[in-house]
Amino acid sequence: MEHSDIILGIESSCDDTSAAVIRDGYLLSNVIASQQVHKDFGGVVPELASRAHEQNIVPVVSQALAKAGVKASDLTAIAFTRGPGLLGSLLVGTSFAKALSVSLGIPIIMVNHLQGHILAGFIKQYGQENRHPEFPFLCLLVSGGNSQIVKVNSPLDYEILGQTIDDAVGEAFDKCSKMMGLGYPGGPVIDRLAKLGDPERFKFAKPHIPGLDYSFSGIKTSLLYFVRDEMAKDPEFMEKNKEDICASFQKALIDILMDKLIKAAKQTGIREITIGGGVSANSGLRDRITAEGKKRCWNTYLPEFKFTTDNAAMIAISGYYHYLHGERTPLDVAPVSRMADF
Ligand code: KG4
């Protein structure tokens, strides 16, 4: 039989326990156990997340292997998320990856979670067109913890051109939702309500940050004061106008994201553009980037919805590139909650 590289990917950085198997870059399985324990808390509770990972990790990995039709002894290497993320959560995936690698006598390969999001579009699937950007490309990386414009020179070479100086855009979505009593996570519910509202109805103060950096703390405060003032005049203001508030707030966030992305594309002359991270699931952002792309002759690439949120397929594909490049991670590696660079 022909030799093939079979990589197991493990992701446990936040509140999803996930395992995936890829063979020579093609996805065989991707299993995700999303944790429900956080629902009543309005956010992820780190302690509960670690415990749920500990419960889920063995069945999730077993299922991923079974679905892929692969035995543990067939694996070539194990890729795992080293960071950034919640330390207790990362420890579960990291320790599991190490233990399995020792028992199988195969290497581990650490992966930066953010790099996983950026390379999500490179996951190849049997029977599907495998369209991905050419290098170098720009990635608008937008999640609950990050808002960055990254220039990607190769699967292993990244340059951060701009990033948020305070909150991430996902946090702005989540805080807006919390403020309006719409629950957590905020992005999906605001996205849904925004489709029913008028994006031009309300205006919110935009930040004036030099260069390619972002800021989202001011606009959050602008929404807070606006809602507070309107509610003082009419206590039912929020209930009556929630669709228009969501549509207008979402549009303001997308405007901020797009202004800098357009600037980055002009400055670098790069027209290969992609997005990644949880907020890349936002339908308003996806429509806008597609429309701007057409107008500006960009080649735009949108990751499939199922690969926009945390998953191990993106970790496995990133690990695969590192593996091909000869990288192996020593067994004394420790996870890190913050990773400044890629
Ligand atoms: O990448 P991710 O799953 O987790 C990390 O931050 O690592 O991103 C989660 C963020 C949350 O802030 C969530 O509200 C946001 O992604 N999100 C969305 C949508 N779906 C998830 N934001 C806007 N629109 C969405 N459809």
Side-chain angles (χ1 to χ4, degrees):
M1 205 176 118
E2 231 176 88
H3 170 81
S4 53
D5 291 319
I6 304 180
I7 313 282
L8 171 70
I10 294 176
E11 156 63 28
S12 71
S13 65
C14 191
D15 60 342
D16 293 302
T17 318
S18 181
V21 177
I22 60 168
R23 181 195 287 135
D24 297 329
Y26 281 89
L27 187 65
L28 300 180
S29 66
N30 185 36
V31 175
I32 304 173
S34 297
Q35 304 177 359
Q36 302 304 318
V37 287
H38 312 286
K39 277 223 151 44
D40 297 336
F41 297 94
V44 177
V45 184
E47 172 84 21
L48 296 180
S50 318
R51 286 191 223 169
H53 282 304
E54 195 64 44
Q55 287 172 330
N56 293 340
I57 189 82
V58 172
V60 164
V61 170
S62 304
Q63 264 188 51
L65 293 172
K67 278 194 172 171
V70 158
K71 296 190 294 296
S73 56
D74 297 330
L75 295 173
T76 311
I78 303 165
F80 67 99
T81 305
R82 183 187 181 204
L86 301 170
L87 200 66
S89 291
L90 291 163
L91 272 166
V92 177
T94 306
S95 303
F96 186 88
K98 286 186 190 183
L100 191 59
S101 91
V102 169
S103 72
L104 296 171
I106 58 174
I108 51 169
I109 299 163
M110 66 181 184
V111 171
N112 182 320
H113 179 80
L114 302 176
Q115 194 182 104
H117 277 303
I118 292 174
L119 295 181
F122 286 74
I123 300 163
K124 292 192 279 184
Q125 296 177 85
Y126 287 109
Q128 283 194 22
E129 187 197 3
N130 294 302
R131 211 179 147 261
H132 60 73
E134 299 294 326
F135 297 100
F137 64 87
L138 297 182
C139 180
L140 178 65
L141 183 59
V142 276
S143 71
N146 284 85
S147 303
Q148 297 181 327
I149 298 175
V150 184
K151 180 171 172 245
V152 186
N153 300 315
S154 81
L156 306 173
D157 182 9
Y158 300 78
E159 266 173 72
I160 298 171
L161 301 183
Q163 58 190 325
T164 183
I165 57 167
D166 41 53
D167 294 348
V169 65
E171 269 178 278
F173 273 104
D174 293 337
K175 285 187 182 151
C176 166
S177 172
K178 200 170 180 182
M179 216 182 285
M180 295 176 69
L182 299 172
Y184 177 88
V189 57
I190 292 178
D191 192 352
R192 184 168 51 75
L193 290 170
K195 285 185 191 146
L196 309 170
D198 174 5
E200 304 298 338
R201 172 107 183 269
F202 305 117
K203 302 282 173 228
F204 298 100
K206 300 240 174 79
H208 296 282
I209 309 292
L212 297 173
D213 286 339
Y214 287 118
S215 165
F216 292 100
S217 71
I219 191 164
K220 202 182 62 194
T221 316
S222 162
L223 174 72
L224 180 71
Y225 290 161
F226 166 73
V227 170
R228 189 195 59 189
D229 295 349
E230 293 298 326
M231 295 284 278
K233 290 183 246 162
D234 173 6
E236 285 173 30
F237 173 80
M238 194 136 77
E239 192 46 41
K240 285 190 214 154
N241 296 287
K242 62 174 187 270
E243 290 87 358
D244 289 348
I245 300 173
C246 287
S248 302
F249 188 67
Q250 178 173 295
K251 178 178 183 291
L253 295 178
I254 294 172
D255 284 347
I256 297 172
L257 290 173
M258 291 307 298
D259 283 354
K260 294 289 169 91
L261 183 62
I262 291 166
K263 198 168 167 185
K266 279 189 187 151
Q267 277 182 13
T268 57
I270 294 174
R271 289 172 178 206
E272 298 284 307
I273 312 282
T274 187
I275 49 177
V279 181
S280 71
N282 185 267
S283 51
L285 178 60
R286 293 169 83 93
D287 290 348
R288 184 71 167 281
I289 208 160
T290 307
E292 288 290 346
K294 277 197 186 128
K295 198 163 97 192
R296 295 170 193 282
C297 297
W298 293 347
N299 295 319
T300 48
Y301 304 84
L302 305 179
E304 265 187 66
F305 272 110
K306 65 178 176 194
F307 298 132
T308 57
T309 45
D310 291 347
N311 67 83
M314 67 184 197
I315 302 305
I317 193 73
S318 305
Y320 176 58
Y321 285 117
H322 286 281
Y323 178 81
L324 291 181
H325 195 246
E327 287 178 28
R328 309 291 182 260
T329 301
L331 283 170
D332 62 356
V333 66
V336 282
S337 56
R338 289 175 179 273
M339 277 174 109
D341 259 317
F342 289 98

